[in-house]
Amino acid sequence: MARKLQAGWCCVTSFFWGVRSLGVLCLALAAPISAVGRDVDDHFGLPQVKFINEQVSAGWSDAKLKPSEPASDQEWCRRVHLDIIGRVPTIKELDDYVADSSPVKRANLVGRLLSDEYLDEYARNWADVWTTVLVGRSLDNDNVNRSGMRQWLRRSFSKNIPYDRFLTDLVTATGVNKAGEKGFNGATNFLTGKLEDNGIQATAKTAQVFLGLQVQCTQCHNHPFNKGKQNQFWEFNAFFRQTRALRQFEGTRDVQAIELVDEDWAGEGGNASQAELYYELRNGQMKVAYPVFIDGTTVDPSGYLPAKMEDGTEYGVNRRMALAQLMVDSPLMPKAAVNRVWSHFFGYGFTRPIDDLGEHNAPSHPELLEGLGERFREQSFDTKELIRWITLSHAYSLSSRIGKGNASDDPAVGEKPKFSHFYLRQMRPEELYQSLLTATEADQAEEKGEKAARKKDEWLSQFIIAFGTDEGDEATTFNGSIPQVLMMFNGDLVKTATETGKGGFLDRVATSDMNNAQRIDTLYAAALARKPTRKEIKLANQMMVARKGDAISALQDIWWAVLNSNEFIINH
Amino acid sequence: MSASSRFFDGMSRRHFMSHVAGAAALAAPATAFTNSILANAADLKKRHKAAILLWMGGGPSTMDIWDLKPGAATGGPFKPISTSADGIQICEHMPLMAQQMHHMSLVRSMSTREADHMRGRYYMHTGYVPNPNVEHPSYGAVIAHELADQVPDLEIPPFVSVGSGSVGPGFLGMSWAPFVVDSNGNVRNLDMGIDPTRLSQRLEMLSAIEDKFIGEKRGASSDDHAKVLSKTVKLMTSDQMGAFKVMQEPKDVQDRYGNTGFGRGCLMARRLVEQGVPFVEVDLGGWDNHADIFKTLSDNKLPELDKAMAALVSDLAERGLLDDTAIIWMGEFSRTPNINGNGGRDHWARSWSVAVGGAGFKRGVVVGETSSDGKEVVTEPYSAQDLMASVLRSLDISLETTFTAKNGRPMKIANAGKVIKELFA
């Protein structure tokens, strides 16, 4: 029955999308796209952008903050490339943008970055982001096939599948987790490593990632300071009990692949039509739980999967499908989604941490969070549209330079973010890796797809520290500490980027028909998206003298300094 | 700050160059490190305080290690044995530590509330429960910050974490972040492979870019970057880095600590403390024993722990370092007295034990007591902040110290915990 219900729901939704996108189209046509003026400058005819601008600037008025000046063209261009496609712009992309004289040039660039022209890079970037969210960065987990996870994510993002379907596909996935195997479905990797111990991790992570609920503590007891109750944890957990991870072994020990399946479940009491589980209270008393969503909605307690009796009567339920539907309908779902995407672009979300939307954790901009979530739902959960609204907002266009009027807006010291200037943040390691390839024009020669991704994984692994808990908690030393600086100073990645071999980036710059000043300009544009200052030119020239006319060695020294700078590694 | 001075941090450029040259020369013959260490042996005897935290990631079951309940339904199969400290009994699978207990003391009355890994880890490391608006400094950052003045010649980071990464420096800033190394003491990417003149020219160029960006007032992380750069340059050119080379220890010493990651980590901790590092954390994970706990403990975890910890305690004592070096053994919490259906124990924070010793601590005593089933503390309960205050006291760090968080709010050191008085004479 549930499966049928699911299909029916899909139909209704897609009909709904049709109507909705038509509405948006009308609206877009009605907006004065050609008009040049304050109005278009301000929100590009997009009501969602207007809404964001109004909400954020109301916060500035309340806190008596004067927002920073707009970022320079070069700064904004660099930032939007890093955030949408995960790397710095090429010199050509930078020049094109600066030369564009259109009043809607920002909208044009965002449009391009979200278009088919950049599809591979867009999908690669967001697959990286979501691989980390869903399965972490650690490489040594036999129960996850990272490559399978990433392939599925890349495909989802290149098709821009709506976020409700994205969630549903991940939460309900069945199939084999490894590419090339029969029945491959990479989405299964979200759950393949989280089903041990009755699916405790599946429960905690699903609630955390998609609903912004921190339930891991309520596994054992009622939460001491939020409303989480122990029964809610186990009722949520009950949705995962029909699911099994079947390991296929290679030889005797190594896991070859894992198949995720749903099976009829008899429950711990042995009665499949009322399949229950038991959990233990702190005082040792046992309690029973059936699938109940966090808002109290109950689901058919049957442990049978949907099937038909001989007389045609339908019975049973697919618990994970029922759960996905309840999650999609939940008001928490779009809030959790927009909070995550917002924090990707601004460095801070509306709550800290971003995946805790509990009532004890008041957001910085409650109406904006709520309203943006609603608009995301109205837009049929189109992630690219959400990105467009955020990147075209006034707040996203501001300089990172702090003025007298907004020095107090500093979330790094614990204040709630007001987004009155762009907050500095270090590139993610994946962004640094990709940016070095781009800046040295090595991305052309680089293998594409999964092979390249695995190489990047290997490089990343040097920064990952596992805490050795069942929950797979991990941290990274790619956090501005000494190991990171040592990697930039002396590591292979920067060594390769600063190579002087024939045909490499520095060799091409050195042997081009540019003069020395232009060569230095090229290095600055490629890495920092700006021109060198007079003082920097003077030092660069001294370097040329010191290398006694060995131009390529001097360029190598300058390039090393540029790549090691705060200005390069910090998204500003 | 002028461009060239930014990374040379108190040394003249010429002095810096000699450092670079020295390090380059030393990179080849490893013995040079040992020699210089031996030559400095007199200096090393200069007293400085330090602390070593043995961090048991995952939450070890302390009623199977330090506070056994033989005969109780919750007690498990392990038997207690007598130790070198009068009246103290510990687990039979800790026979080597049993001979060292006169150097250590136990607090059997820890009672905390954080039973989630990440929250417990944060709480036990900082004395504060996680708070979205402020990041608190961990033990390592606080102690390094307070003791750094005692070791003005230290060129390597004052807070080293072997294995686990510890918890960060919070509002004290990235300069006090843990320097994370693996237990073999390998520090990646240390070799620069270019001549010192050229490196110093590169650094001059780099500091011009750094200065410009900092001057544009975009936020503190640009300054932090420059500060860490400067520390990195110092470290890259220091012969003190030899302290990490744990494989240079004589084989019998290595064997004494055990051929395990934790064993090498403990040995490295001793070498680092000898070199002047005020805080070292050594991680031993794998205590999250929700299933099959007793076999895991008796066959695997306890033998590894016992060998390395006993070697560390006795080695420090023999070298005369123990009186200035505090040792703290703890995890983020302990495990349920009730044994679950999978033969494991789950997370439990209400009643558990930690071990401390060395520095100013009274040795060979037991503080506090739990009920016969291990489920309650029946004496005065102690918190993470009480433990932290006691560790600071053992190092003569003033508990009147108050930090200013980045938001301007005053923060009392150790969250104003109260010293566990039974741990002091």
Side-chain angles (χ1 to χ4, degrees), chain A residues 520 524 536-537 539-540 543 557-558 561-562, chain B residues 200-210:
Chain A
I520 295 164
Y524 270 72
E536 287 166 336
I537 293 170
L539 280 168
M543 203 77 95
D557 293 336
I558 298 162
V562 165
Chain B
S200 74
Q201 285 162 346
R202 283 183 176 188
L203 290 175
E204 214 160 324
M205 181 92 213
L206 173 55
S207 73
I209 308 174
E210 295 272 321

mmCIF file with all atom_site columns, all heavy atoms in Angstrom, chain A residues 520 524 536-537 539-540 543 557-558 561-562, chain B residues 200-210:
data_model
loop_
_atom_site.group_PDB
_atom_site.id
_atom_site.type_symbol
_atom_site.label_atom_id
_atom_site.label_alt_id
_atom_site.label_comp_id
_atom_site.label_asym_id
_atom_site.label_entity_id
_atom_site.label_seq_id
_atom_site.pdbx_PDB_ins_code
_atom_site.Cartn_x
_atom_site.Cartn_y
_atom_site.Cartn_z
_atom_site.occupancy
_atom_site.B_iso_or_equiv
_atom_site.pdbx_formal_charge
_atom_site.auth_seq_id
_atom_site.auth_comp_id
_atom_site.auth_asym_id
_atom_site.auth_atom_id
_atom_site.pdbx_PDB_model_num
ATOM 1   N N   . ILE A 1 520 ? 54.405 38.736 -13.733 1.00 0.00 ? 520 ILE A N   1
ATOM 2   C CA  . ILE A 1 520 ? 54.032 38.824 -12.314 1.00 0.00 ? 520 ILE A CA  1
ATOM 3   C C   . ILE A 1 520 ? 52.524 39.067 -12.176 1.00 0.00 ? 520 ILE A C   1
ATOM 4   O O   . ILE A 1 520 ? 51.856 38.466 -11.337 1.00 0.00 ? 520 ILE A O   1
ATOM 5   C CB  . ILE A 1 520 ? 54.856 39.927 -11.614 1.00 0.00 ? 520 ILE A CB  1
ATOM 6   C CG1 . ILE A 1 520 ? 56.337 39.511 -11.612 1.00 0.00 ? 520 ILE A CG1 1
ATOM 7   C CG2 . ILE A 1 520 ? 54.384 40.170 -10.190 1.00 0.00 ? 520 ILE A CG2 1
ATOM 8   C CD1 . ILE A 1 520 ? 57.296 40.646 -11.320 1.00 0.00 ? 520 ILE A CD1 1
ATOM 9   N N   . TYR A 1 524 ? 49.644 36.808 -10.058 1.00 0.00 ? 524 TYR A N   1
ATOM 10  C CA  . TYR A 1 524 ? 48.716 37.407 -9.088  1.00 0.00 ? 524 TYR A CA  1
ATOM 11  C C   . TYR A 1 524 ? 47.264 37.187 -9.491  1.00 0.00 ? 524 TYR A C   1
ATOM 12  O O   . TYR A 1 524 ? 46.410 36.891 -8.664  1.00 0.00 ? 524 TYR A O   1
ATOM 13  C CB  . TYR A 1 524 ? 49.020 38.900 -8.892  1.00 0.00 ? 524 TYR A CB  1
ATOM 14  C CG  . TYR A 1 524 ? 50.009 39.133 -7.780  1.00 0.00 ? 524 TYR A CG  1
ATOM 15  C CD1 . TYR A 1 524 ? 51.350 38.813 -7.943  1.00 0.00 ? 524 TYR A CD1 1
ATOM 16  C CD2 . TYR A 1 524 ? 49.588 39.623 -6.542  1.00 0.00 ? 524 TYR A CD2 1
ATOM 17  C CE1 . TYR A 1 524 ? 52.254 38.988 -6.908  1.00 0.00 ? 524 TYR A CE1 1
ATOM 18  C CE2 . TYR A 1 524 ? 50.481 39.801 -5.506  1.00 0.00 ? 524 TYR A CE2 1
ATOM 19  C CZ  . TYR A 1 524 ? 51.823 39.484 -5.691  1.00 0.00 ? 524 TYR A CZ  1
ATOM 20  O OH  . TYR A 1 524 ? 52.705 39.640 -4.666  1.00 0.00 ? 524 TYR A OH  1
ATOM 21  N N   . GLU A 1 536 ? 54.852 45.059 -3.744  1.00 0.00 ? 536 GLU A N   1
ATOM 22  C CA  . GLU A 1 536 ? 55.015 43.659 -4.160  1.00 0.00 ? 536 GLU A CA  1
ATOM 23  C C   . GLU A 1 536 ? 55.806 43.573 -5.473  1.00 0.00 ? 536 GLU A C   1
ATOM 24  O O   . GLU A 1 536 ? 56.617 42.657 -5.664  1.00 0.00 ? 536 GLU A O   1
ATOM 25  C CB  . GLU A 1 536 ? 53.642 42.998 -4.305  1.00 0.00 ? 536 GLU A CB  1
ATOM 26  C CG  . GLU A 1 536 ? 52.985 42.713 -2.955  1.00 0.00 ? 536 GLU A CG  1
ATOM 27  C CD  . GLU A 1 536 ? 51.500 42.376 -3.044  1.00 0.00 ? 536 GLU A CD  1
ATOM 28  O OE1 . GLU A 1 536 ? 50.843 42.789 -4.036  1.00 0.00 ? 536 GLU A OE1 1
ATOM 29  O OE2 . GLU A 1 536 ? 50.989 41.725 -2.126  1.00 0.00 ? 536 GLU A OE2 1
ATOM 30  N N   . ILE A 1 537 ? 55.556 44.533 -6.358  1.00 0.00 ? 537 ILE A N   1
ATOM 31  C CA  . ILE A 1 537 ? 56.310 44.557 -7.623  1.00 0.00 ? 537 ILE A CA  1
ATOM 32  C C   . ILE A 1 537 ? 57.799 44.767 -7.343  1.00 0.00 ? 537 ILE A C   1
ATOM 33  O O   . ILE A 1 537 ? 58.656 44.104 -7.921  1.00 0.00 ? 537 ILE A O   1
ATOM 34  C CB  . ILE A 1 537 ? 55.769 45.660 -8.558  1.00 0.00 ? 537 ILE A CB  1
ATOM 35  C CG1 . ILE A 1 537 ? 54.335 45.303 -9.004  1.00 0.00 ? 537 ILE A CG1 1
ATOM 36  C CG2 . ILE A 1 537 ? 56.672 45.849 -9.772  1.00 0.00 ? 537 ILE A CG2 1
ATOM 37  C CD1 . ILE A 1 537 ? 53.617 46.409 -9.732  1.00 0.00 ? 537 ILE A CD1 1
ATOM 38  N N   . LEU A 1 539 ? 59.443 43.976 -4.615  1.00 0.00 ? 539 LEU A N   1
ATOM 39  C CA  . LEU A 1 539 ? 60.022 42.742 -4.070  1.00 0.00 ? 539 LEU A CA  1
ATOM 40  C C   . LEU A 1 539 ? 60.207 41.688 -5.158  1.00 0.00 ? 539 LEU A C   1
ATOM 41  O O   . LEU A 1 539 ? 61.201 40.963 -5.182  1.00 0.00 ? 539 LEU A O   1
ATOM 42  C CB  . LEU A 1 539 ? 59.118 42.185 -2.966  1.00 0.00 ? 539 LEU A CB  1
ATOM 43  C CG  . LEU A 1 539 ? 59.254 42.853 -1.611  1.00 0.00 ? 539 LEU A CG  1
ATOM 44  C CD1 . LEU A 1 539 ? 58.103 42.427 -0.697  1.00 0.00 ? 539 LEU A CD1 1
ATOM 45  C CD2 . LEU A 1 539 ? 60.585 42.476 -0.959  1.00 0.00 ? 539 LEU A CD2 1
ATOM 46  N N   . ALA A 1 540 ? 59.231 41.624 -6.067  1.00 0.00 ? 540 ALA A N   1
ATOM 47  C CA  . ALA A 1 540 ? 59.326 40.649 -7.158  1.00 0.00 ? 540 ALA A CA  1
ATOM 48  C C   . ALA A 1 540 ? 60.527 40.959 -8.036  1.00 0.00 ? 540 ALA A C   1
ATOM 49  O O   . ALA A 1 540 ? 61.255 40.050 -8.465  1.00 0.00 ? 540 ALA A O   1
ATOM 50  C CB  . ALA A 1 540 ? 58.040 40.659 -7.975  1.00 0.00 ? 540 ALA A CB  1
ATOM 51  N N   . MET A 1 543 ? 63.607 39.874 -6.482  1.00 0.00 ? 543 MET A N   1
ATOM 52  C CA  . MET A 1 543 ? 63.728 38.425 -6.641  1.00 0.00 ? 543 MET A CA  1
ATOM 53  C C   . MET A 1 543 ? 64.361 38.093 -7.992  1.00 0.00 ? 543 MET A C   1
ATOM 54  O O   . MET A 1 543 ? 65.202 37.204 -8.095  1.00 0.00 ? 543 MET A O   1
ATOM 55  C CB  . MET A 1 543 ? 62.327 37.812 -6.550  1.00 0.00 ? 543 MET A CB  1
ATOM 56  C CG  . MET A 1 543 ? 62.326 36.379 -6.149  1.00 0.00 ? 543 MET A CG  1
ATOM 57  S SD  . MET A 1 543 ? 62.603 36.192 -4.381  1.00 0.00 ? 543 MET A SD  1
ATOM 58  C CE  . MET A 1 543 ? 60.931 36.081 -3.806  1.00 0.00 ? 543 MET A CE  1
ATOM 59  N N   . ASP A 1 557 ? 59.757 31.378 -7.108  1.00 0.00 ? 557 ASP A N   1
ATOM 60  C CA  . ASP A 1 557 ? 59.774 31.926 -5.745  1.00 0.00 ? 557 ASP A CA  1
ATOM 61  C C   . ASP A 1 557 ? 58.535 32.789 -5.475  1.00 0.00 ? 557 ASP A C   1
ATOM 62  O O   . ASP A 1 557 ? 57.916 32.710 -4.416  1.00 0.00 ? 557 ASP A O   1
ATOM 63  C CB  . ASP A 1 557 ? 61.039 32.767 -5.528  1.00 0.00 ? 557 ASP A CB  1
ATOM 64  C CG  . ASP A 1 557 ? 62.297 31.908 -5.545  1.00 0.00 ? 557 ASP A CG  1
ATOM 65  O OD1 . ASP A 1 557 ? 62.190 30.692 -5.258  1.00 0.00 ? 557 ASP A OD1 1
ATOM 66  O OD2 . ASP A 1 557 ? 63.379 32.445 -5.853  1.00 0.00 ? 557 ASP A OD2 1
ATOM 67  N N   . ILE A 1 558 ? 58.219 33.627 -6.443  1.00 0.00 ? 558 ILE A N   1
ATOM 68  C CA  . ILE A 1 558 ? 57.058 34.511 -6.286  1.00 0.00 ? 558 ILE A CA  1
ATOM 69  C C   . ILE A 1 558 ? 55.776 33.679 -6.180  1.00 0.00 ? 558 ILE A C   1
ATOM 70  O O   . ILE A 1 558 ? 54.930 33.901 -5.318  1.00 0.00 ? 558 ILE A O   1
ATOM 71  C CB  . ILE A 1 558 ? 56.960 35.492 -7.475  1.00 0.00 ? 558 ILE A CB  1
ATOM 72  C CG1 . ILE A 1 558 ? 58.204 36.383 -7.515  1.00 0.00 ? 558 ILE A CG1 1
ATOM 73  C CG2 . ILE A 1 558 ? 55.690 36.332 -7.403  1.00 0.00 ? 558 ILE A CG2 1
ATOM 74  C CD1 . ILE A 1 558 ? 58.417 37.072 -8.854  1.00 0.00 ? 558 ILE A CD1 1
ATOM 75  N N   . ALA A 1 561 ? 55.336 32.075 -2.858  1.00 0.00 ? 561 ALA A N   1
ATOM 76  C CA  . ALA A 1 561 ? 54.897 33.043 -1.844  1.00 0.00 ? 561 ALA A CA  1
ATOM 77  C C   . ALA A 1 561 ? 53.411 33.348 -2.000  1.00 0.00 ? 561 ALA A C   1
ATOM 78  O O   . ALA A 1 561 ? 52.665 33.394 -1.016  1.00 0.00 ? 561 ALA A O   1
ATOM 79  C CB  . ALA A 1 561 ? 55.726 34.316 -1.944  1.00 0.00 ? 561 ALA A CB  1
ATOM 80  N N   . VAL A 1 562 ? 52.986 33.528 -3.237  1.00 0.00 ? 562 VAL A N   1
ATOM 81  C CA  . VAL A 1 562 ? 51.582 33.850 -3.488  1.00 0.00 ? 562 VAL A CA  1
ATOM 82  C C   . VAL A 1 562 ? 50.671 32.711 -3.005  1.00 0.00 ? 562 VAL A C   1
ATOM 83  O O   . VAL A 1 562 ? 49.677 32.924 -2.322  1.00 0.00 ? 562 VAL A O   1
ATOM 84  C CB  . VAL A 1 562 ? 51.375 34.132 -5.000  1.00 0.00 ? 562 VAL A CB  1
ATOM 85  C CG1 . VAL A 1 562 ? 49.910 34.113 -5.351  1.00 0.00 ? 562 VAL A CG1 1
ATOM 86  C CG2 . VAL A 1 562 ? 52.015 35.452 -5.396  1.00 0.00 ? 562 VAL A CG2 1
ATOM 87  N N   . SER B 2 200 ? 64.616 32.444 2.723   1.00 0.00 ? 200 SER B N   1
ATOM 88  C CA  . SER B 2 200 ? 64.351 33.697 3.429   1.00 0.00 ? 200 SER B CA  1
ATOM 89  C C   . SER B 2 200 ? 63.850 34.769 2.456   1.00 0.00 ? 200 SER B C   1
ATOM 90  O O   . SER B 2 200 ? 63.025 35.600 2.818   1.00 0.00 ? 200 SER B O   1
ATOM 91  C CB  . SER B 2 200 ? 65.583 34.154 4.204   1.00 0.00 ? 200 SER B CB  1
ATOM 92  O OG  . SER B 2 200 ? 66.546 34.660 3.322   1.00 0.00 ? 200 SER B OG  1
ATOM 93  N N   . GLN B 2 201 ? 64.299 34.720 1.209   1.00 0.00 ? 201 GLN B N   1
ATOM 94  C CA  . GLN B 2 201 ? 63.754 35.660 0.217   1.00 0.00 ? 201 GLN B CA  1
ATOM 95  C C   . GLN B 2 201 ? 62.274 35.375 -0.061  1.00 0.00 ? 201 GLN B C   1
ATOM 96  O O   . GLN B 2 201 ? 61.448 36.273 -0.155  1.00 0.00 ? 201 GLN B O   1
ATOM 97  C CB  . GLN B 2 201 ? 64.568 35.592 -1.081  1.00 0.00 ? 201 GLN B CB  1
ATOM 98  C CG  . GLN B 2 201 ? 65.917 36.279 -0.945  1.00 0.00 ? 201 GLN B CG  1
ATOM 99  C CD  . GLN B 2 201 ? 66.892 35.865 -2.040  1.00 0.00 ? 201 GLN B CD  1
ATOM 100 O OE1 . GLN B 2 201 ? 66.679 34.881 -2.754  1.00 0.00 ? 201 GLN B OE1 1
ATOM 101 N NE2 . GLN B 2 201 ? 67.977 36.615 -2.169  1.00 0.00 ? 201 GLN B NE2 1
ATOM 102 N N   . ARG B 2 202 ? 61.963 34.108 -0.176  1.00 0.00 ? 202 ARG B N   1
ATOM 103 C CA  . ARG B 2 202 ? 60.559 33.738 -0.376  1.00 0.00 ? 202 ARG B CA  1
ATOM 104 C C   . ARG B 2 202 ? 59.703 34.223 0.790   1.00 0.00 ? 202 ARG B C   1
ATOM 105 O O   . ARG B 2 202 ? 58.595 34.723 0.612   1.00 0.00 ? 202 ARG B O   1
ATOM 106 C CB  . ARG B 2 202 ? 60.422 32.220 -0.478  1.00 0.00 ? 202 ARG B CB  1
ATOM 107 C CG  . ARG B 2 202 ? 60.842 31.656 -1.801  1.00 0.00 ? 202 ARG B CG  1
ATOM 108 C CD  . ARG B 2 202 ? 60.592 30.159 -1.830  1.00 0.00 ? 202 ARG B CD  1
ATOM 109 N NE  . ARG B 2 202 ? 60.900 29.604 -3.148  1.00 0.00 ? 202 ARG B NE  1
ATOM 110 C CZ  . ARG B 2 202 ? 60.636 28.351 -3.496  1.00 0.00 ? 202 ARG B CZ  1
ATOM 111 N NH1 . ARG B 2 202 ? 60.072 27.524 -2.631  1.00 0.00 ? 202 ARG B NH1 1
ATOM 112 N NH2 . ARG B 2 202 ? 60.927 27.923 -4.706  1.00 0.00 ? 202 ARG B NH2 1
ATOM 113 N N   . LEU B 2 203 ? 60.236 34.032 1.997   1.00 0.00 ? 203 LEU B N   1
ATOM 114 C CA  . LEU B 2 203 ? 59.455 34.424 3.173   1.00 0.00 ? 203 LEU B CA  1
ATOM 115 C C   . LEU B 2 203 ? 59.251 35.929 3.216   1.00 0.00 ? 203 LEU B C   1
ATOM 116 O O   . LEU B 2 203 ? 58.211 36.415 3.680   1.00 0.00 ? 203 LEU B O   1
ATOM 117 C CB  . LEU B 2 203 ? 60.150 33.942 4.453   1.00 0.00 ? 203 LEU B CB  1
ATOM 118 C CG  . LEU B 2 203 ? 60.133 32.427 4.668   1.00 0.00 ? 203 LEU B CG  1
ATOM 119 C CD1 . LEU B 2 203 ? 60.950 32.045 5.889   1.00 0.00 ? 203 LEU B CD1 1
ATOM 120 C CD2 . LEU B 2 203 ? 58.705 31.903 4.813   1.00 0.00 ? 203 LEU B CD2 1
ATOM 121 N N   . GLU B 2 204 ? 60.235 36.667 2.721   1.00 0.00 ? 204 GLU B N   1
ATOM 122 C CA  . GLU B 2 204 ? 60.095 38.111 2.698   1.00 0.00 ? 204 GLU B CA  1
ATOM 123 C C   . GLU B 2 204 ? 58.952 38.528 1.765   1.00 0.00 ? 204 GLU B C   1
ATOM 124 O O   . GLU B 2 204 ? 58.123 39.372 2.090   1.00 0.00 ? 204 GLU B O   1
ATOM 125 C CB  . GLU B 2 204 ? 61.405 38.730 2.232   1.00 0.00 ? 204 GLU B CB  1
ATOM 126 C CG  . GLU B 2 204 ? 61.678 40.051 2.885   1.00 0.00 ? 204 GLU B CG  1
ATOM 127 C CD  . GLU B 2 204 ? 63.164 40.421 2.798   1.00 0.00 ? 204 GLU B CD  1
ATOM 128 O OE1 . GLU B 2 204 ? 64.015 39.509 2.886   1.00 0.00 ? 204 GLU B OE1 1
ATOM 129 O OE2 . GLU B 2 204 ? 63.431 41.609 2.620   1.00 0.00 ? 204 GLU B OE2 1
ATOM 130 N N   . MET B 2 205 ? 58.932 37.903 0.608   1.00 0.00 ? 205 MET B N   1
ATOM 131 C CA  . MET B 2 205 ? 57.853 38.156 -0.355  1.00 0.00 ? 205 MET B CA  1
ATOM 132 C C   . MET B 2 205 ? 56.506 37.768 0.266   1.00 0.00 ? 205 MET B C   1
ATOM 133 O O   . MET B 2 205 ? 55.526 38.505 0.193   1.00 0.00 ? 205 MET B O   1
ATOM 134 C CB  . MET B 2 205 ? 58.137 37.290 -1.594  1.00 0.00 ? 205 MET B CB  1
ATOM 135 C CG  . MET B 2 205 ? 57.140 37.423 -2.719  1.00 0.00 ? 205 MET B CG  1
ATOM 136 S SD  . MET B 2 205 ? 57.661 38.696 -3.899  1.00 0.00 ? 205 MET B SD  1
ATOM 137 C CE  . MET B 2 205 ? 56.082 39.307 -4.415  1.00 0.00 ? 205 MET B CE  1
ATOM 138 N N   . LEU B 2 206 ? 56.480 36.600 0.880   1.00 0.00 ? 206 LEU B N   1
ATOM 139 C CA  . LEU B 2 206 ? 55.242 36.114 1.490   1.00 0.00 ? 206 LEU B CA  1
ATOM 140 C C   . LEU B 2 206 ? 54.759 37.064 2.572   1.00 0.00 ? 206 LEU B C   1
ATOM 141 O O   . LEU B 2 206 ? 53.572 37.389 2.649   1.00 0.00 ? 206 LEU B O   1
ATOM 142 C CB  . LEU B 2 206 ? 55.472 34.707 2.070   1.00 0.00 ? 206 LEU B CB  1
ATOM 143 C CG  . LEU B 2 206 ? 54.350 34.082 2.891   1.00 0.00 ? 206 LEU B CG  1
ATOM 144 C CD1 . LEU B 2 206 ? 53.040 34.057 2.116   1.00 0.00 ? 206 LEU B CD1 1
ATOM 145 C CD2 . LEU B 2 206 ? 54.723 32.669 3.320   1.00 0.00 ? 206 LEU B CD2 1
ATOM 146 N N   . SER B 2 207 ? 55.663 37.558 3.375   1.00 0.00 ? 207 SER B N   1
ATOM 147 C CA  . SER B 2 207 ? 55.187 38.388 4.476   1.00 0.00 ? 207 SER B CA  1
ATOM 148 C C   . SER B 2 207 ? 54.666 39.726 3.963   1.00 0.00 ? 207 SER B C   1
ATOM 149 O O   . SER B 2 207 ? 53.793 40.331 4.587   1.00 0.00 ? 207 SER B O   1
ATOM 150 C CB  . SER B 2 207 ? 56.240 38.538 5.561   1.00 0.00 ? 207 SER B CB  1
ATOM 151 O OG  . SER B 2 207 ? 57.261 39.376 5.149   1.00 0.00 ? 207 SER B OG  1
ATOM 152 N N   . ALA B 2 208 ? 55.122 40.173 2.792   1.00 0.00 ? 208 ALA B N   1
ATOM 153 C CA  . ALA B 2 208 ? 54.545 41.389 2.218   1.00 0.00 ? 208 ALA B CA  1
ATOM 154 C C   . ALA B 2 208 ? 53.082 41.167 1.856   1.00 0.00 ? 208 ALA B C   1
ATOM 155 O O   . ALA B 2 208 ? 52.222 42.020 2.098   1.00 0.00 ? 208 ALA B O   1
ATOM 156 C CB  . ALA B 2 208 ? 55.338 41.809 0.986   1.00 0.00 ? 208 ALA B CB  1
ATOM 157 N N   . ILE B 2 209 ? 52.779 39.993 1.294   1.00 0.00 ? 209 ILE B N   1
ATOM 158 C CA  . ILE B 2 209 ? 51.378 39.696 0.934   1.00 0.00 ? 209 ILE B CA  1
ATOM 159 C C   . ILE B 2 209 ? 50.535 39.552 2.198   1.00 0.00 ? 209 ILE B C   1
ATOM 160 O O   . ILE B 2 209 ? 49.421 40.080 2.294   1.00 0.00 ? 209 ILE B O   1
ATOM 161 C CB  . ILE B 2 209 ? 51.293 38.416 0.075   1.00 0.00 ? 209 ILE B CB  1
ATOM 162 C CG1 . ILE B 2 209 ? 52.255 38.502 -1.113  1.00 0.00 ? 209 ILE B CG1 1
ATOM 163 C CG2 . ILE B 2 209 ? 49.865 38.193 -0.420  1.00 0.00 ? 209 ILE B CG2 1
ATOM 164 C CD1 . ILE B 2 209 ? 52.350 37.216 -1.927  1.00 0.00 ? 209 ILE B CD1 1
ATOM 165 N N   . GLU B 2 210 ? 51.079 38.831 3.168   1.00 0.00 ? 210 GLU B N   1
ATOM 166 C CA  . GLU B 2 210 ? 50.355 38.656 4.431   1.00 0.00 ? 210 GLU B CA  1
ATOM 167 C C   . GLU B 2 210 ? 50.034 40.016 5.067   1.00 0.00 ? 210 GLU B C   1
ATOM 168 O O   . GLU B 2 210 ? 48.911 40.278 5.490   1.00 0.00 ? 210 GLU B O   1
ATOM 169 C CB  . GLU B 2 210 ? 51.195 37.833 5.423   1.00 0.00 ? 210 GLU B CB  1
ATOM 170 C CG  . GLU B 2 210 ? 51.458 36.403 5.005   1.00 0.00 ? 210 GLU B CG  1
ATOM 171 C CD  . GLU B 2 210 ? 50.378 35.432 5.457   1.00 0.00 ? 210 GLU B CD  1
ATOM 172 O OE1 . GLU B 2 210 ? 49.866 35.575 6.577   1.00 0.00 ? 210 GLU B OE1 1
ATOM 173 O OE2 . GLU B 2 210 ? 50.034 34.521 4.675   1.00 0.00 ? 210 GLU B OE2 1
#
